[in-house]
Amino acid sequence: MVSRLIEKIQKTKAPICVGLDPMLSYIPEHVTKKAYDEFGETLEGAAQAIWLFNKEIIDATADLIPSVKPQIAMYEQFGIEGLKAYDKTVKYCQQKGLIVIGDVKRGDIGSTSTAYATGHIGKVQVGSNVFAGFDTEYITVNPYLGTDGVKPFVDVCNEYDRGIFVLVKTSNPSSGEFQDRLIDGKPLYELVAEKVVEWGEASMDGAYSNVGAVVGATYPEMSRVLRKLMPKTYFLVPGYGAQGGTAEDLKYCFNEDGLGAVVNSSRGIIAAYKKEPYVKFGAEHFGEASRQAVIDMITDINSVL
């Protein structure tokens, strides 16, 4: 799977993914009005607004980017109707040729992890039939339960040519409460990185592994260390833009070949029309604002590679 991601990145010259993390507050009034006129101010109406919002952004940016990252929580808050919008978004992105990273952060005991993996990146047997559930190319995985919780995901990656990104050093301010604690003289995130390398050796796809790592752009010195520890691991890099990470900060996430990382931006792109550089587009043209924000992000990141 990682070879497909790399191929898309090289083709677009854009080592980025757009985080499709819609909140109702991001959605222009004319979009919510259209949805509410059809379905009322209901969970179904909210889900429809999200879908219409996502579709316009996807249509405006799909030719520029290799991948998207929908955060499932933004859909789950609207219950089953929200999950329908998530599924619809995933399938539409795939129709556009995009690689979908389902940001689901799953991880549990072995049998539960197997079920999570089956539902999101694998296939399930129903009588004599086999079905794919959410069917994303990648998902994010929480490694807190150790190998028992991660190996089932790796097994499914190998069976169906899929990938995972394991949380290693996240971009949020309190990540250090656990991730930076020293164990035998090493910070915990380094120990997790070593396990990611070990797990990844069981799922190589060319020069890189299908087992990637989430490494935040907000801690550049740590990403420099992690890049050396995980030379064959692809990084999913959150924290760029709205969370304060800059192109200069994230350059250490890349290898000398210019590969090794895909950088995420969520509200910096999908809510670009609300930001000063793009207000000229107006809410009616929020998709065009998102497109320009993508172009600017690509230019910014490529300037340091």
Side-chain angles (χ1 to χ4, degrees):
M1 175 51 64
V2 72
S3 63
R4 282 184 54 199
L5 176 61
I6 291 170
E7 182 182 348
K8 291 285 294 182
I9 289 171
Q10 290 176 321
K11 183 177 179 180
T12 57
K13 297 181 174 60
I16 73 170
C17 68
V18 172
L20 296 174
D21 305 350
M23 299 287 287
L24 286 179
S25 60
Y26 298 168
I27 302 177
E29 186 177 352
H30 72 277
V31 178
T32 54
K33 183 180 185 304
K34 182 177 180 180
Y36 295 163
D37 285 348
E38 185 174 359
F39 296 102
E41 293 182 354
T42 62
L43 293 175
E44 193 174 8
Q48 177 69 2
I50 284 173
W51 159 244
L52 294 174
F53 181 68
N54 283 353
K55 183 178 185 299
E56 185 155 341
I57 290 170
I58 295 161
D59 287 342
T61 61
D63 63 312
L64 301 174
I65 60 176
S67 58
V68 292
K69 184 180 72 64
Q71 164 52 258
I72 201 169
M74 303 307 179
Y75 303 83
E76 286 179 341
Q77 63 184 320
F78 303 109
I80 296 301
E81 296 302 330
L83 284 176
K84 290 178 183 177
Y86 175 84
D87 185 58
K88 200 171 183 178
T89 296
V90 168
K91 288 177 169 55
Y92 189 69
C93 289
Q94 290 168 334
Q95 288 171 18
K96 291 283 189 175
L98 298 171
I99 288 176
V100 181
I101 303 166
D103 195 353
V104 302
K105 295 184 177 69
R106 298 300 197 253
D108 210 310
I109 61 170
S111 59
T112 312
S113 281
T114 298
Y116 279 140
T118 297
H120 287 277
I121 54 176
K123 295 182 179 180
V124 64
Q125 186 87 30
V126 181
S128 58
N129 297 315
V130 176
F131 299 97
F134 289 112
D135 201 26
T136 57
E137 282 77 19
Y138 273 91
I139 55 171
T140 54
V141 170
N142 191 322
Y144 196 75
L145 279 80
T147 299
D148 289 345
V150 176
K151 186 177 182 297
F153 291 101
V154 179
D155 291 343
V156 171
C157 286
N158 290 339
E159 185 174 0
Y160 296 106
D161 187 25
R162 299 296 160 124
I164 59 174
F165 287 105
V166 180
L167 303 180
V168 175
K169 178 57 185 171
T170 57
S171 58
N172 58 303
S174 65
S175 65
E177 290 177 358
F178 295 131
Q179 295 168 18
D180 297 358
R181 297 300 294 264
L182 296 182
I183 300 174
D184 296 332
K186 291 183 179 181
L188 179 59
Y189 63 80
E190 288 191 19
L191 298 179
V192 176
E194 291 172 1
K195 293 302 292 186
V196 168
V197 171
E198 178 186 320
W199 296 326
E201 288 173 349
S203 190
M204 295 301 296
D205 182 14
Y208 290 91
S209 172
N210 290 320
V211 179
V214 176
V215 177
T218 47
Y219 301 102
E221 289 307 314
M222 296 174 184
S223 63
R224 188 202 296 258
V225 171
L226 290 169
R227 182 74 277 168
K228 291 178 181 177
L229 288 173
M230 299 185 285
K232 298 178 181 179
T233 302
Y234 232 82
F235 287 7
L236 171 62
V237 185
Y240 173 86
Q243 292 186 53
T246 66
E248 189 67 24
D249 291 334
L250 58 83
K251 68 181 182 182
Y252 304 117
C253 294
F254 291 85
N255 281 315
E256 291 182 2
D257 59 4
L259 299 173
V262 58
V263 182
N264 179 74
S265 180
S266 298
R267 62 186 180 273
I269 290 175
I270 66 174
Y273 77 97
K274 289 175 170 279
K275 299 183 179 300
E276 194 278 327
Y278 309 107
V279 291
K280 62 186 178 184
F281 290 96
E284 288 287 335
H285 303 286
F286 69 92
E288 293 176 31
S290 294
R291 181 178 180 84
Q292 187 59 53
V294 164
I295 292 169
D296 292 345
M297 179 181 176
I298 294 169
T299 300
D300 187 35
I301 292 172
N302 284 333
S303 72
V304 300
L305 294 184

